[in-house]
């Protein structure tokens, strides 16, 4: 005989909070992009030896969503396999990934406005995730 139990309230609340955290991270990037666009930022970036590429809103949504989901997946795996140290390890990974994400931004040729807006987006995702994903009941 098997019994099926409904998810606990804390699990449901955690899932809801984390889902909203993912959406908030993407929304923050969209808001930053829109402020930059309305402020006249030219989102054309040029990598050495390549043609200019314009960073439109669609890639901002896709990349920020992918990064946020990857962050959530990493935390979930760490929680499953490392227990209490999961948040500490995950936070270290977030810091490392954030710092590494700036390497391409520092190498491209773009206007100051574009670099500031793109840099702010690189910070928005980890800031929102760090504030929303880990359990705060320690």
């Amino acid at each position: 005989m098997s019994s099926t139990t409904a998810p606990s309230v804390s699990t449901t609340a955690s899932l809801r909070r984390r889902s909203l955290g993912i959406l908030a991270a993407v929304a923050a990037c969209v808001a930053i992009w829109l402020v930059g666009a309305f402020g006249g930022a030219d989102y054309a970036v040029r990598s050495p030896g390549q043609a200019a590429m314009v960073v439109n809103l669609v890639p901002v949504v896709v990349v920020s969503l992918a990064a946020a989901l990857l962050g959530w997946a990493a935390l979930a795996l760490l929680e499953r396999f490392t227990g209490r140290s999961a948040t500490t390890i995950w936070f270290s990974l977030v810091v490392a990934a954030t710092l590494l994400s700036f390497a391409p931004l520092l190498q491209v040729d773009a206007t100051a406005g574009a670099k500031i807006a793109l840099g702010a987006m690189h910070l928005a995702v980890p800031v929102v995730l760090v504030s929303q994903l880990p359990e705060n009941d320690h």
Side-chain angles (χ1 to χ4, degrees), residues 23-43 55-57 60-61 64 102 105 112-128:
L23 292 175
V26 174
C29 289
V30 168
I32 292 166
W33 188 91
L34 289 171
V35 167
F38 289 132
D42 176 8
Y43 284 116
V55 179
N56 293 316
L57 192 53
V60 167
V61 170
S64 61
F102 278 96
L105 185 59
K115 283 193 171 192
I116 290 169
L118 294 170
M121 288 182 235
H122 281 243
L123 291 174
V125 171
V127 166
V128 172

Side-chain angles (χ1 to χ4, degrees), residues 13-94:
S14 177
L15 179 62
R16 182 175 302 130
R17 187 188 76 255
R18 288 179 175 187
S19 298
L20 290 174
I22 299 300
L23 292 175
V26 174
C29 289
V30 168
I32 292 166
W33 188 91
L34 289 171
V35 167
F38 289 132
D42 176 8
Y43 284 116
V45 296
R46 292 159 230 42
S47 295
Q50 295 182 358
M53 176 187 91
V54 177
V55 179
N56 293 316
L57 192 53
V58 171
V60 167
V61 170
V62 170
V63 171
S64 61
L65 179 61
L69 290 172
L70 185 59
W72 185 359
L75 179 59
L77 286 171
L78 286 167
E79 286 173 338
R80 180 170 180 101
F81 295 110
T82 65
R84 290 185 145 283
S85 60
T87 301
T88 303
I89 295 167
W90 180 75
F91 183 75
S92 298
L93 289 172
V94 168

